[in-house]
Amino acid sequence: MCRGDFIIGYILANTDINKKERIIFYATGFLSWVIMFAGALYNSFADGKLQHSYTYLQVFLACAVFVFVKELSSKHATFFKSKTKKIAFLSSCCYGIYLIHKFVLVI
């Protein structure tokens, strides 16, 4: 059930990522999105109905988004500092939903 998403998130959150590594994350994330989109499109046409492409490629896309948001928040710290209460409220809701959705997907 857990593919290591929590561990990857912890590592990315606590690691300094330089510009070259960020570009690699972004490119890998974009490429995985293209492959997932093309796969879902191909499977949908082949089966004649909408098919979702849930694969391990989503981890690359999630990592790219995480690295992007981390970089954005570090560069624009003053903007995020003024919105701390709103972000904290959304964060408290989102993390719970994230934890629960893993169990709901199994059911």
Side-chain angles (χ1 to χ4, degrees), residues 71-101:
E71 180 65 19
L72 185 70
S73 66
S74 69
K75 285 191 175 188
H76 301 287
T78 56
F79 171 78
F80 289 105
K81 193 172 188 176
S82 66
K83 310 280 189 251
T84 302
K85 288 184 181 180
K86 292 178 185 177
I87 293 172
F89 174 75
L90 287 175
S91 176
S92 68
C93 296
C94 294
Y95 188 66
I97 292 170
Y98 176 72
L99 286 176
I100 291 171
H101 97 278

Side-chain angles (χ1 to χ4, degrees), residues 11-19 21-22 25 70-71:
I11 292 169
L12 289 176
N14 294 303
T15 304
D16 290 330
I17 301 170
N18 63 35
K19 186 175 182 177
E21 292 168 340
R22 283 195 314 269
F25 272 108
K70 179 181 172 186
E71 180 65 19

Side-chain angles (χ1 to χ4, degrees), residues 1 3-4 7 11 16 21-22 27 31 35 39 41-42 46 56 59 61 67 70 72-73 75 86 93 95 102 104:
M1 182 174 89
R3 302 174 308 219
I7 296 168
I11 292 169
D16 290 330
E21 292 168 340
R22 283 195 314 269
L31 184 62
I35 293 169
L41 191 64
Y42 175 79
Y56 284 101
V59 174
L61 181 58
V67 168
K70 179 181 172 186
L72 185 70
S73 66
K75 285 191 175 188
K86 292 178 185 177
C93 296
Y95 188 66
K102 295 280 189 181
V104 173

Side-chain angles (χ1 to χ4, degrees), residues 13 16 25-27 32 36-37 46 49 51 60 82 105-107:
D16 290 330
F25 272 108
Y26 301 153
S32 67
M36 286 187 307
F37 182 77
K49 61 181 180 176
Q51 297 290 328
F60 295 114
S82 66
L105 288 175
V106 172
I107 295 176

Side-chain angles (χ1 to χ4, degrees), residues 39-51:
L41 191 64
Y42 175 79
N43 289 336
S44 295
F45 279 120
D47 293 343
K49 61 181 180 176
L50 181 62
Q51 297 290 328

